[in-house]
Amino acid sequence: MDFEFTVNGVRRLISLERKDDRLTIRHGGIALEAEFRVISANAVSVLSGGRSRLLIIARDKDKRHVWLEGRTYIIHSGAEEERLADKGDDRTQKGKSVVTAPMPGKVVKVNVAEKEPVRKNQTLAIVEAMKMENEIKSPLEGFVKKVYVSAGDLVDSEKPLLELEPKS
Amino acid sequence: MFKKILIANRGEIACRIIRACREMGIVSLAVYSEADRASLHVQMADEAALIGAPAAADSYLNMDRIIETAHAFGAEAIHPGYGFLAENPEFARRLEKEGIVFIGPNSRALELVGDKIRARQTMEKAGIPIIPGMKHVARSIDEYIAAARKIGYPVMIKASAGGGGKGMRIVCAEEDLRPALEAGSREARAAFGDESIYLEKCIEDPRHVEFQVLADNHGQIVHLFERECSIQRRHQKIVEETPSQALTPELRRKMGETAKKVVAVSGYNNAGTVEFLLDRNKDFYFLEVNARLQVEHPVTELTTGVDLVRQQIRIAAGEKLTLKQDALTQRGHAIECRIYAEDPANNFLPSSGKILYFQEPRGPGVRHDGGIYSGCEVPIYYDPILAKLIVWAETRDSACARMAAALNDYVILGIKTTIPFLKDVICHPKFREGATTTGFIKNHFENWQEEEGTPEGLSLALAVAALDELAPSPKGNKTAGPKTEVYSPWLTLGQWRIGEKP
């Protein structure tokens, strides 16, 4: 059976073949055989070539967080393009530049107004979370097309703050 | 002894204090903001009271509301933890007037040690070594320029009301002084409501060594040795240990006696920490007094066997110290790592949200002081500290190995944490050598990224994700996300109405 995931923006194709407790995993030209045992809704024990490993998994909508030996893999179902399209994200469209919040927080200040010209790296807004202020810098030289938020607003991660138009 | 204590804090430190209360047979009263109804400290406490909106100013900093709550519930004492109202002399003064015991120092001592310039003057008069520099706030830029010339560059700008690195700046040349003074004073005003700044000699690449002190209300003072907290990021400690690799028994004795003197001349009581900078020549300078229970107090507890929170409560209740300086010893080695909700690979951006899965490391010599659980929300309103991982072992080498293994076993899924960064810090050869100075992170960990995993690890992780996609989720609802992970009787019951026939 074939599966498609995205990890760190890279598309990953994997195929699994099952025979009782044993799985053959084909990924990136390598085949790996291992015995899988589901311990609980969050834990899977894997034995391969005598090596014992425990993987921990948690789900968050279309995202799976998988932990193995101190490392966390964040695995999205499907391909990245689909994921962005599903969320109504149009950042990939040409001629637009939407500046988004890097993390959930509170807008402390919006430093620019619509139609105002901006320099690259100019501070556009300040978003605060956990007592730390984070300056949102302009990724380009141009002008402000639209401001979506105002001081005091609570924003989620990746929520659009403003839209810029690059200097032509 | 008190019958009931109000804990004016949240997170891991509130949980730590609740545990001490429980062991001492004292009723614990938690207070919480609207964002913290489901937080661990509310679950753990014997009693809990809502004190306001999520923003700290409306809840955990709201003195009126906290005092009202203490009266309404009949709490005789308030433990402030660290942060929030812990070092606020006005709060301590108000409690003194209200007849509620503040579990911390008296308000006069708090006021003195909170004013860095006054504290410097007092210490110098008592013959305690201070960092060369100004003992007054200057009235003009010219006065600062003259002072900086006299001290010699590089100089450090500090806020008089200071703490936590706010307003601090290093200036290497005169032309940079004016803008740095302006920025430092602006930052100080924003952080403390007081723009007073002063200049000190900048001690280059020092170690940060602090001494834990306990003073009862009857004039007895003991120190419980040092903690080395040189591993800092933006002047915030992230790894602490004891004993320090830099101290000889003679230097330790001398610094310990100095710390006791600092406490004595300040008229200080209860638990406190005297911070020193130790330079390359092993000369030490008084830095400041932290007038609270420190985040890093567990390393002292593990090596001395003294429960510091219990001591604080006993001292506040008026009991005499039964600890004797000569009987106190350090045994083995302890290290603490602070686990923050921050993304270490992305400029330590705060990372709030839901913790989908949490499993702390366990084993001999491993202690975990936390305020989180599987399914809890990490709110955006407060300090990003989630938990502290503390290990103890016979030697420093074994403690490092134990810490590295424990970090490797530590699972927090759903938000980013500093765990992978800390693992690399603990495993760094310079850390293993004990070559720890305050420049350590800047020198060795600028632009840190997690090392790539193995292809096999990725394949296994993908396979588990695939299996999970196939697995029938509970109630056949695949899209409901984390909700399906936890059985909730409320969700099931939600389909009924009270009084309706089943």
Side-chain angles (χ1 to χ4, degrees), chain A residues 8-139:
Chain A
N8 285 333
V10 181
R11 205 162 152 223
R12 301 281 178 183
L13 297 169
I14 177 173
S15 100
L16 297 184
E17 202 175 296
R18 184 173 168 185
K19 207 178 162 197
D20 302 323
D21 261 358
R22 302 195 72 79
L23 275 182
T24 305
I25 308 162
R26 287 195 179 78
H27 167 236
I30 301 166
L32 177 72
E33 203 186 305
E35 187 198 319
F36 281 67
R37 176 68 58 94
V38 175
I39 306 292
S40 73
N42 294 100
V44 179
S45 164
V46 178
L47 296 179
S48 62
R51 209 155 152 215
S52 165
R53 275 178 280 220
L54 184 71
L55 290 97
I56 306 284
I57 180 162
R59 284 147 295 265
D60 179 14
K61 300 187 189 88
D62 65 333
K63 229 176 4 183
R64 282 176 174 79
H65 302 248
V66 181
W67 179 94
L68 168 62
E69 290 166 340
R71 173 180 302 278
T72 303
Y73 300 86
I74 296 179
I75 301 173
H76 294 269
S77 298
E80 182 78 359
E81 294 84 344
E82 282 168 28
R83 190 175 74 82
L84 288 174
D86 282 353
K87 288 177 80 175
D89 194 313
D90 54 2
R91 272 177 303 171
T92 46
Q93 288 178 27
K94 277 184 194 155
K96 270 191 181 178
S97 184
V98 176
V99 179
T100 58
M103 77 283 177
K106 191 171 128 189
V107 179
V108 178
K109 199 174 165 195
V110 179
N111 302 39
V112 293
E114 284 175 14
K115 296 188 180 131
E116 199 177 301
V118 288
R119 284 169 289 108
K120 195 176 172 173
N121 287 328
Q122 182 180 337
T123 302
L124 301 172
I126 297 173
V127 177
E128 180 206 72
M130 297 173 167
K131 304 198 317 195
M132 234 184 79
E133 288 192 355
N134 295 275
E135 295 186 353
I136 313 297
K137 308 259 190 194
S138 176

Side-chain angles (χ1 to χ4, degrees), chain B residues 208-263:
Chain B
H208 177 117
V209 178
E210 59 183 33
F211 273 72
Q212 175 68 53
V213 179
L214 287 173
D216 66 16
N217 303 347
H218 311 280
Q220 291 184 77
I221 307 170
V222 294
H223 76 78
L224 291 97
F225 309 102
E226 80 279 12
R227 291 184 288 258
E228 177 161 344
C229 316
S230 301
I231 308 296
Q232 304 183 355
R233 202 184 62 77
R234 291 182 200 150
H235 306 291
Q236 296 269 16
K237 302 162 188 171
I238 54 174
V239 178
E240 301 99 345
E241 63 179 311
T242 186
S244 165
Q245 294 307 96
L247 302 195
T248 58
E250 176 50 26
L251 185 55
R252 179 171 292 119
R253 197 195 54 76
K254 209 168 136 196
M255 289 177 82
E257 287 310 309
T258 307
K260 280 158 73 171
K261 199 166 162 194
V262 167
V263 165

Side-chain angles (χ1 to χ4, degrees), chain B residues 120 129-133 158 200-203 277 285-287:
Chain B
R120 274 167 67 80
I130 60 168
I131 299 171
K158 283 195 176 171
E200 268 179 16
K201 174 85 193 141
C202 176
I203 310 281
L277 283 187
Y285 306 93
F286 167 78
L287 201 58

